[in-house]
Amino acid sequence: MNIAQSLENLKLEQDAIVLYDALASIEKDPRRASAFRHIADNERRHADIWANRLRELGATVPVAGRPRARVRFIIAGARVFGTRAVSDLVKALEGDEEAIYGEQEAHPAIESIAADEREHAEIWKRLDGEPPTPGSRRRARGRSGEAADVVTATAHPAVAVGKGKSPDAITKGEGWHRSARSGTLRAIIFGVSDGLVSNLSLVMGIVGASSQGGLILLTGIAGLLAGAFSMAAGEYISMQSQRELFERQIALEKAELEAMPREEEQELVALYMAKGFPRQEAEHVAARMFEDPETALDTLVREELGLDPDELGSPWGAAIGSFLAFAVGAVIPVVPYLFGSGTVAFAVSLGASLVALFLVGAGVSLLTGRSLVFSGFRQLAIGAAAAAVTYAVGTLIGVGIAG
């Protein structure tokens, strides 16, 4: 394990400390906050391992600096929307770090850290209401057993229901978490990207064919409105159709529950057993679910159909969101032509659009975990290529018309 690799590992752990300390301070639920503090303590121990390793190699241990942009983005999202909203982003970050360690040579320090990372994965599963991995530890290490309590208490929605909480109570307040899982953030970023690339290409095509500022402005505005309304209409129809399908599936599940409750209870037992629960425990949990018909239906819909009956999606919300996201991207190449024309407007429009393309690509890197520079320049290259092609086509058409 050389100095450069140890420095990189130390930076990973220092960023993780900042992340989990922030999540613990933001979280209002004391059990979740306790779990985050427990993970932060583990990350501090990991950082100490790499700091000691650097000292052994005769290197200077650097002071923790500003965390990576991806970590800062997650913390900012947690402050605005809550820690549940960034759950998938944190788990993706953990997965990337696990992959980084997995690519390194075998080392006792890495094996120790890997054991803790597996524990972190189990904690996150339980925090998100997923069943534990069969055979996993039911109690986590931690001061005074705080982390162990949160792991057990949040092991599965069925456990919480058994303690007197309904599935609706468990998921209350997690609206952005659910929408994040269904791709809201992804839809916003790619909606902006679509509007920017398509309208930049359209504007550049007209610029190639004509130098009339009024025509370019009119075309850009028309492209913005046409694209935004098209996106909104498509999202509305798609979401409404999906919602109607889900409502139909829930109605059928309700009819089955009323007609043959015993068979439905055995289906739930089988589902829990497939997830690693022993038969006796699965039967006990299922029996508790079926004491209340509403709880039974809610649980069957979630477990058998994989649906959240309280979050089937809003057609109008999807339509408005798509319209605004597309419009934000599409307006960038048009704005300069509101204030001028000719070479200056062209240069400003193209320059602003290229900068925006890079920023959109950088935003994508926050979701994918790829290099910010790589993602930014990739998006920039794609958008610039599309604009260049349409500009060339517009120039050819303009020459043909003029001839």
Side-chain angles (χ1 to χ4, degrees):
M1 188 67 63
N2 57 37
I3 292 177
Q5 190 64 71
S6 297
L7 283 170
E8 181 180 342
N9 293 343
L10 176 61
K11 176 60 177 173
L12 287 176
E13 302 303 339
Q14 288 173 336
D15 283 1
I17 293 170
V18 174
L19 173 62
Y20 281 104
D21 279 345
L23 293 179
S25 67
I26 294 168
E27 181 56 59
K28 302 302 182 183
D29 184 335
R31 288 176 174 163
R32 287 178 64 88
S34 175
F36 296 146
R37 287 193 296 270
H38 170 75
I39 297 177
D41 287 343
N42 277 350
E43 305 295 4
R44 286 188 177 87
R45 187 167 59 81
H46 300 167
D48 288 341
I49 290 174
W50 297 120
N52 291 332
R53 178 59 179 163
L54 287 168
R55 294 188 188 100
E56 292 172 0
L57 295 171
T60 301
V61 178
V63 178
R66 194 181 188 192
R68 289 165 289 166
R70 189 178 179 190
V71 173
R72 297 199 303 272
F73 176 81
I74 293 173
I75 293 173
R79 293 190 189 283
V80 176
F81 303 109
T83 64
R84 291 179 175 86
V86 298
S87 171
D88 287 347
L89 296 178
V90 176
K91 287 188 286 186
L93 182 65
E94 290 275 14
D96 291 343
E97 293 179 0
E98 184 177 351
I100 290 173
Y101 279 125
E103 294 172 356
Q104 299 177 24
E105 62 183 83
H107 190 279
I110 292 179
E111 294 175 3
S112 172
I113 292 172
D116 285 336
E117 294 299 336
R118 286 191 291 270
E119 176 192 327
H120 298 171
E122 290 300 324
I123 291 174
W124 271 109
K125 279 187 176 182
R126 292 168 173 84
L127 289 175
D128 284 347
E130 300 176 20
T133 301
S136 64
R137 290 172 291 177
R138 299 292 295 183
R139 296 187 62 83
R141 296 173 304 182
R143 296 169 300 179
S144 71
E146 289 180 346
D149 292 340
V150 71
V151 170
T152 302
T154 58
H156 191 271
V159 177
V161 172
K163 292 179 179 291
K165 294 182 179 180
S166 68
D168 180 65
I170 294 169
T171 58
K172 185 178 180 181
E174 297 187 14
W176 228 89
H177 172 58
R178 291 189 294 267
S179 61
R181 291 179 64 181
S182 65
T184 297
L185 185 59
R186 177 183 180 277
I188 291 173
I189 290 177
F190 288 103
V192 173
S193 175
D194 286 345
L196 179 56
V197 173
S198 63
N199 220 33
L200 172 62
S201 300
L202 178 61
V203 168
M204 290 300 105
I206 299 300
V207 169
S210 173
S211 60
Q212 298 180 37
L215 176 61
I216 297 170
L217 177 61
L218 176 61
T219 302
I221 293 176
L224 185 157
L225 293 175
F229 278 115
S230 176
M231 289 281 289
E235 281 295 319
Y236 178 86
I237 293 172
S238 175
M239 184 64 75
Q240 182 63 27
S241 299
Q242 175 181 278
R243 186 181 179 91
E244 291 171 354
L245 173 62
F246 289 165
E247 289 173 343
R248 174 61 175 165
Q249 290 177 322
I250 293 173
L252 290 173
E253 191 65 36
K254 182 178 181 180
E256 290 178 357
L257 179 60
E258 293 173 349
M260 41 185 182
R262 180 59 183 169
E263 288 79 358
E264 290 297 304
E265 182 176 345
Q266 289 305 307
E267 284 186 15
L268 188 58
V269 170
L271 285 169
Y272 285 145
M273 290 179 63
K275 293 182 177 182
F277 283 76
R279 172 175 285 277
Q280 184 176 2
E281 184 177 352
E283 290 178 346
H284 174 71
V285 172
R288 293 295 298 271
M289 297 297 99
F290 274 72
E291 289 178 0
D292 179 9
E294 290 187 6
T295 300
L297 177 61
D298 187 281
T299 304
L300 285 169
V301 169
R302 296 174 189 272
E303 298 290 351
E304 186 175 343
L305 302 181
L307 301 177
D308 183 347
D310 300 319
E311 191 67 29
L312 299 182
S314 167
W316 281 111
I320 294 172
S322 295
F323 182 96
L324 293 177
F326 186 94
V328 167
V331 76
I332 294 172
V334 177
V335 169
Y337 287 96
L338 290 171
F339 305 98
S341 60
T343 304
V344 174
F346 169 75
V348 174
S349 175
L350 182 60
S353 298
L354 293 179
V355 171
L357 283 167
F358 181 86
L359 294 177
V360 169
V364 171
S365 74
L366 298 174
L367 300 178
T368 64
R370 296 296 299 270
S371 164
L372 183 148
V373 174
F374 171 82
S375 296
F377 277 110
R378 179 177 60 183
Q379 181 73 22
L380 175 60
I382 293 172
V389 170
T390 55
Y391 180 84
V393 171
T395 301
L396 291 174
I397 294 176
V399 171
I401 294 174

